[in-house]
Amino acid sequence: MPNAENTTAPKGLWARFNAMPLDSAPRTITVAVALCLVCSMIVSGAAVMLKPQQEINKTLDKKTNILKVAGLYTDGVDVEKAFSAFEPRLVDVAAGKFSNAADPETYDQQAAAKDPARSIALVNDPASIKRQAKLASVYLLRDDADQIERIILPIHGYGLWSTLYGFIALNADGNEIYGLRFYSHGETPGLGAEVDNPKWMAQWPGKLVYGEDGSVDIGVDKAVPAGIDGSKYHIDAIAGATLTSRGVDNLVKFWMGDQGFKTFLDNLKKGEA
Ligand SMILES: Cc1cc2nc3c(=O)[nH]c(=O)nc-3n(C[C@H](O)[C@H](O)[C@H](O)COP(=O)(O)O)c2cc1C
């Protein structure tokens, strides 16, 4: 005879779970929740563990892109060694002068742009970036006579789906473009992502940023605007990606203009940066 006390006694959780039919709803839900918990712990653990390596890879990729835009990248090159050719500096964008307010080796311009203490909110914001870091990281390349040969400036702005981050390299006159490339964006492959297409990027070298009156004449457009010398100042927009192209036009004009690096480049020419 079964003992009445034993059959009514509360069972442990595990025993109650085991006693459930395999296809019962509570059992299915319990298994699903447990599985989700275990998986999320594995994924978040992996994300935390891999974060330092991701940061190292991000920095390496940025340096590779700076080398590429400056024409110093070759396959198999030791990126860290080649990168030591650059002189990283910080520029106070509003003053247009070099700044020693932070360490250029460790300064993170993207992080500074999000920090209200180290950035300004933009009222006139054609590049759609909302906030602009007060200090910008620039990279100088000097020749054997220690004269500036190339200036690499960070640029970013909104395309269609994403913020595009890149660099523009200028020759020593601070006007002729040596190259332009983006190292991060989320535009559509085959459409907006054609900003990475070497054929499209090949349009930039040799073009000029500033017209004779100092205005920013470089532009990305479907057609050459009236009054502009296309051979010097025009970049063809990407077919089927007018909105990304417009974003690039806006961001280049912004960063090369008065709110961007124009004052710095003018000062550099006068030896007053
Ligand atoms: C799925 C999808 C992805 C798109 N991605 C982009 C893009 O990355 N950049 C862009 O400018 N236009 C993109 N477009 C196209 C735009 O919606 C728009 O049609 C285009 O910019 C107009 O360019 P066009 O005047 O050269 O045709 C995309 C459209 C679709 C349907």
Side-chain angles (χ1 to χ4, degrees), residues 3-256:
N3 183 332
E5 235 179 57
N6 282 347
T7 47
T8 53
K11 291 176 187 171
L13 270 181
W14 180 243
R16 277 161 61 191
F17 173 76
N18 265 337
M20 287 177 194
L22 281 180
D23 58 353
S24 74
R27 188 177 176 122
T28 308
I29 291 167
T30 310
V31 169
V33 169
L35 203 63
C36 287
L37 272 175
V38 170
C39 289
S40 60
M41 275 158 67
I42 292 171
V43 170
S44 44
V48 170
M49 269 162 49
L50 292 174
K51 184 114 181 115
Q53 190 55 45
Q54 280 172 349
E55 289 303 319
I56 292 170
N57 290 346
K58 232 168 97 180
T59 309
L60 200 67
D61 185 55
K62 195 168 154 185
K63 287 180 175 177
T64 304
N65 275 283
I66 295 172
L67 287 173
K68 281 183 179 170
V69 80
L72 297 186
Y73 184 84
T74 46
D75 279 342
V77 73
D78 180 338
V79 171
E80 291 293 350
K81 202 168 154 197
F83 191 77
S84 63
F86 292 105
E87 182 184 320
R89 297 291 298 268
L90 292 179
V91 166
D92 181 324
V93 180
K97 291 188 188 275
F98 289 118
S99 165
N100 294 322
D103 179 0
E105 300 284 348
T106 54
Y107 179 71
D108 182 344
Q109 191 179 328
Q110 281 186 40
K114 289 179 192 150
D115 178 356
R118 296 187 291 154
S119 62
I120 53 163
L122 293 170
V123 179
N124 179 24
D125 183 19
S128 301
I129 54 175
K130 295 190 180 81
R131 304 196 69 87
Q132 182 184 23
K134 291 176 189 168
L135 299 179
S137 296
V138 308
Y139 303 87
L140 307 177
L141 198 60
R142 294 185 185 270
D143 61 17
D144 294 341
D146 210 29
Q147 297 301 304
I148 292 175
E149 194 182 0
R150 228 156 279 156
I151 309 148
I152 291 86
L153 304 168
I155 52 175
H156 69 280
Y158 215 74
L160 172 59
W161 309 112
S162 66
T163 301
L164 296 101
Y165 290 89
F167 295 101
I168 186 165
L170 302 178
N171 283 330
D173 64 358
N175 192 13
E176 190 183 4
I177 297 171
Y178 185 83
L180 173 139
R181 66 183 298 128
F182 293 102
Y183 61 89
S184 168
H185 66 76
E187 301 301 289
T188 314
L191 294 171
E194 286 297 290
V195 289
D196 299 332
N197 187 322
K199 269 193 190 159
W200 187 77
M201 290 194 293
Q203 295 184 79
W204 292 84
K207 294 282 161 65
L208 304 180
V209 174
Y210 302 105
E212 276 160 26
D213 60 355
S215 58
V216 182
D217 282 0
I218 188 73
V220 182
D221 223 315
K222 281 185 177 176
V224 183
I228 289 290
D229 179 348
S231 68
K232 289 182 183 166
Y233 302 104
H234 173 72
I235 305 291
D236 267 335
I238 299 163
T242 302
L243 300 174
T244 303
S245 303
R246 198 170 296 150
V248 175
D249 182 60
N250 288 336
L251 75 91
V252 167
K253 286 192 164 99
F254 172 81
W255 285 103
M256 293 298 108

